[in-house]
């Protein structure tokens, strides 16, 4: 039974906004991190981005699109780490990462909070963020938009932002490609003259003032910003009945 008659939730708008990040990518490896991005990549694959490549989260390319938490029944190929890195270095991958901090130029921090020599909180480390941001398209998913996340300046650069790439020179800017940032409040990109962040849309029900108040840096926000698009009935059916019947998406985005 389809359940498309109830109101669209904030989490479902977030899924739609994240899925749009892969629109037009063609045959690239989608690398989503988090429940909502994973659901979004699978939705994109089943709708407007059929050539996306998906993995089982480990070393297999999958040929089907299972529900969240369910195993794949179709294996298309083996993708060991060395081949995965080849796709990264060749720009044939679009990753959607998280961010403990992100600033106006898209510098991302997942390493530590506070002074690097004596942090108040130790996080993941830079992991693969520098290589990701310098070699293949990158988008970000932030499930809770807050001033402590959208900061004036990150405490440590993990993923490279536009100003940091420009300072490093052509070797850093050649393939640098930050696509979009999606939070539980709206969608953002860097299509401005100085490559700083701008608001693309707010999710329905989010007032413009809430975005300003939840952002530490000056972010131009019009009084009547565009709204994130509505999911089509077929997309809602896929989200609710096929890809996430357990509603795991609602655990990642608070109403």
């Amino acid at each position: 039974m389809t359940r498309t008659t109830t109101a669209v939730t904030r989490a479902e708008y977030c899924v739609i906004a994240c899925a749009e990040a892969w629109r037009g990518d063609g045959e690239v490896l989608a690398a989503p991190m988090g429940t909502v991005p994973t659901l979004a990549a699978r939705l994109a694959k089943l709708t407007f981005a059929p050539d996306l490549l998906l993995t089982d989260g480990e070393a297999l390319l999958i040929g089907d699109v299972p529900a969240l938490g369910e195993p794949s029944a179709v294996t298309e190929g083996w993708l060991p780490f060395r081949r995965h890195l080849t796709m990264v270095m060749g720009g044939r991958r679009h990753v959607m990462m998280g961010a403990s901090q992100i600033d106006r130029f898209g510098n991302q921090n997942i390493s530590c909070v506070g002074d690097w020599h004596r942090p108040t909180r130790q996080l993941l480390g830079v992991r693969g963020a520098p290589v990701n941001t310098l070699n293949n398209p990158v988008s970000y998913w932030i499930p809770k938009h807050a001033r402590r996340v959208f900061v004036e300046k990150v405490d440590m650069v993990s993923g490279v932002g536009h100003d940091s790439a420009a300072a490093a020179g052509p070797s850093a800017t050649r393939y640098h490609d930050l696509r979009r940032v999606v939070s539980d409040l709206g969608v953002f990109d860097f299509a401005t003259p100085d490559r700083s962040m701008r608001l693309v849309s707010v999710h329905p029900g989010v007032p413009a003032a809430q975005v300003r108040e939840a952002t530490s840096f000056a972010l131009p926000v019009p009084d009547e910003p565009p709204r994130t698009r509505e999911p089509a009935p077929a997309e809602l059916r896929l989200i609710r009945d096929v890809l996430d019947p357990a509603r795991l998406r609602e655990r990642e985005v608070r109403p």
Side-chain angles (χ1 to χ4, degrees):
M1 184 180 100
T2 58
R3 292 168 287 179
T4 58
T5 55
T6 56
V8 180
T9 68
R10 180 73 60 82
E12 289 162 346
Y13 283 116
C14 292
V15 172
I16 291 295
C18 287
E20 287 289 341
W22 283 287
R23 185 182 287 275
D25 273 4
E27 191 175 289
V28 305
L29 180 66
M33 299 181 186
T35 297
V36 166
T38 299
L39 180 54
R42 295 182 186 190
L43 177 67
K45 169 82 174 176
L46 288 176
T47 54
F48 53 77
D51 294 331
L52 277 183
L53 302 177
L54 303 178
T55 75
D56 65 347
E58 296 185 5
L60 296 179
L61 283 172
I62 61 176
D64 56 354
V65 185
L68 295 181
E70 296 296 324
S72 168
V74 181
T75 298
E76 277 199 336
W78 184 42
L79 190 66
F81 199 57
R82 61 181 179 276
R83 291 184 183 174
H84 197 131
L85 285 179
T86 299
M87 298 187 78
V88 173
M89 300 301 286
R92 302 301 299 167
R93 176 177 179 258
H94 181 169
V95 60
M96 182 170 283
M97 299 191 290
S100 299
Q101 295 178 328
I102 192 166
D103 66 24
R104 72 178 67 204
F105 293 108
N107 295 292
Q108 169 237 33
N109 177 20
I110 54 173
S111 184
C112 63
V113 175
D115 182 84
W116 183 83
H117 296 90
R118 200 175 182 84
T120 57
R121 181 170 296 181
Q122 182 64 56
L123 305 174
L124 295 172
V126 298
R127 312 290 286 187
V131 173
N132 285 339
T133 45
L134 297 183
N135 289 281
N136 59 195
V138 170
S139 295
Y140 290 107
W141 159 239
I142 298 170
K144 185 170 178 55
H145 192 130
R147 295 179 68 85
R148 64 181 176 81
V149 179
F150 286 74
V151 297
E152 182 68 35
K153 186 177 178 60
V154 297
D155 291 337
M156 179 173 177
V157 174
S158 303
V160 179
H162 286 288
D163 59 339
S164 299
S171 62
T173 58
R174 187 176 183 187
Y175 300 114
H176 188 252
D177 185 4
L178 300 186
R179 295 283 177 86
R180 66 168 42 192
V181 179
V182 179
S183 79
D184 61 329
L185 300 185
V187 180
F188 311 83
D189 68 11
F190 301 93
T192 58
D194 66 352
R195 309 309 303 274
S196 59
M197 193 182 298
R198 68 169 187 172
L199 175 68
V200 174
S201 68
V202 293
H203 304 321
V206 176
Q210 186 177 355
V211 178
R212 294 192 196 97
E213 292 166 2
T215 305
S216 288
F217 53 84
L219 178 72
V221 178
D223 290 335
E224 297 293 335
R227 301 288 171 178
T228 302
R229 77 167 175 88
E230 297 286 333
E235 291 174 320
L236 267 185
R237 186 189 66 81
L238 287 169
I239 293 171
R240 295 176 176 181
D241 296 345
V242 178
L243 294 173
D244 188 23
R247 299 175 61 84
L248 298 177
R249 60 194 180 279
E250 305 296 342
R251 299 181 187 178
E252 195 162 87
V253 180
R254 299 296 181 187

